[in-house]
Amino acid sequence: MQKGYFKAAWNDIKQSEGWLGKMFLLGLLSLIPIFGQVVLFGYAYGWLRDIAWGVETPLPPRIFGNEDGQLYRRGLIVFVINTVFCLIAPGVVEGVFSVMAGRGLDTVSGAVFGGTGHVLSGNISGLFSLLILVIASLFYLVAAARASIYGRLGPGFQLSRLWAMMRHDTKGLVRVVCVGVALTVCMGAILGGFALGMGVVVAALTALGVWGSGGMASALAVMLFALAAMMVCLVALVVLSAASAFITIMTVRAMGYWVQQFDVPAWRGQDDPMPFEMASGQAQR
């Protein structure tokens, strides 16, 4: 197990020429539904594929370069895998949990602890959702990596192969996922803080009577505030989208270093045992 996946990924990113500009461009592209995500995934997982094969390269100089001719195909494959593992599967699991256990948990907690019990039930449900998110991310990253390396959708849904890789180095994989989730949570906290700050400003101006004073001054104040708020929100959107793209690139690159330990150049067909499985089988003999 190699240590310092994110440190290695960060070094690769910061040593790439024009990396910050690429993050902003990828972030803006990601705002385009589906197409933007396909391009981002295709770009990121193409870079993962390089390092998984042991090829150390900086960030590809052109986002739409499509040097291997697989940018959009790879991105679409990862988009499908992401949708299944991070949206559909967690939604189904949480829905079943809510129906089968959630109501019972809320009823029992309410009966035992009263009003506090309902809050406790909500906290438990929140922790369960976070756990599902982490587990889904584990499967998604391994599935997307396998599919990107093989260039096909099928390898991403071979659960037995995914599970074998996850068991081989669970600690390293969990570290990659947890750091990625932590970065995402931090970005969400920043977004929440920004929204709260905007709310405080609006409340303060309302308390001071800026909106209700009437006349030209009030109308001008409303117009100026709306314009300023629009500009601030636009800047925040651009910055946060770039941060989101950075987290994606960083996490995927770190995942590439994790996959590197599986001796990708020695992989055969998608149904064949992986090198570490063959080595383990020979050792048992």
Side-chain angles (χ1 to χ4, degrees), residues 2 28 30 50 54 73 97 123 131 135 138 143 145 173 176 178 180 199 216-217 226 252 259 274 279:
Q2 176 185 337
L28 291 175
S30 67
D50 289 343
R73 174 185 172 86
F97 174 81
N123 291 336
L131 177 62
I135 294 175
L138 291 172
L173 178 60
V176 170
C178 286
M216 184 66 70
V252 171
V259 174
M274 286 174 284

Side-chain angles (χ1 to χ4, degrees), residues 6-282:
F6 272 90
K7 182 179 180 180
W10 167 236
N11 287 334
D12 290 344
I13 291 174
K14 71 180 182 179
Q15 291 172 7
S16 300
E17 184 178 356
W19 68 270
L20 186 58
K22 290 185 178 69
M23 295 304 113
F24 276 96
L25 182 54
L26 286 167
L28 291 175
L29 280 171
S30 67
L31 297 177
I32 304 174
I34 301 179
F35 174 77
Q37 293 296 316
V38 166
V39 173
L40 175 60
F41 287 149
Y43 183 84
Y45 280 90
W47 204 33
L48 173 148
R49 190 175 185 275
D50 289 343
I51 197 62
W53 275 88
V55 180
E56 297 186 8
T57 59
L59 278 167
R62 294 183 300 166
I63 292 175
F64 295 100
N66 198 16
E67 286 80 3
D68 62 354
Q70 297 292 314
L71 174 70
Y72 302 105
R73 174 185 172 86
R74 180 170 53 242
L76 184 59
I77 288 173
V78 175
F79 180 82
V80 171
I81 292 174
N82 178 269
T83 301
V84 172
F85 281 102
C86 296
L87 184 62
I88 297 176
V92 171
V93 172
E94 290 193 39
V96 171
F97 174 81
S98 177
V99 171
M100 298 184 64
R103 293 179 181 176
L105 178 64
D106 186 67
T107 301
V108 172
S109 299
V112 175
F113 299 104
T116 307
H118 296 295
V119 176
L120 178 62
S121 174
N123 291 336
I124 293 175
S125 297
L127 290 174
F128 179 77
S129 297
L130 180 60
L131 177 62
I132 292 300
L133 172 63
V134 172
I135 294 175
S137 298
L138 291 172
F139 277 95
Y140 154 65
L141 285 172
V142 180
R146 274 184 60 83
S148 298
I149 291 169
Y150 279 107
R152 297 189 297 274
L153 182 63
F157 291 100
Q158 292 180 301
L159 297 182
S160 61
R161 300 265 74 84
L162 302 182
W163 181 241
M165 293 176 68
M166 292 166 65
R167 284 190 307 168
H168 185 69
D169 181 16
T170 305
K171 290 183 179 179
L173 178 60
V174 169
R175 186 165 65 246
V176 170
V177 170
C178 286
V179 173
V181 170
L183 290 173
T184 303
V185 170
C186 287
M187 188 182 71
I190 293 173
L191 179 61
F194 172 76
L196 179 62
M198 292 292 291
V200 169
V201 171
V202 171
L205 292 176
T206 302
L208 293 173
V210 174
W211 314 128
S213 59
M216 184 66 70
S218 178
L220 182 60
V222 171
M223 189 181 349
L224 290 176
F225 178 79
L227 181 61
M230 188 186 314
M231 294 300 296
V232 170
C233 289
L234 182 60
V235 171
L237 178 63
V238 171
V239 172
L240 287 173
S241 65
S244 177
F246 172 77
I247 292 172
T248 298
I249 295 292
M250 185 92 152
T251 303
V252 171
R253 183 65 169 183
M255 189 63 190
Y257 277 104
W258 181 82
V259 174
Q260 196 178 58
Q261 67 182 298
F262 294 98
D263 192 12
V264 173
W267 285 15
R268 300 178 181 177
Q270 66 183 56
D271 297 316
D272 294 327
M274 286 174 284
F276 75 91
E277 292 177 304
M278 292 188 291
S280 176
Q282 292 174 356

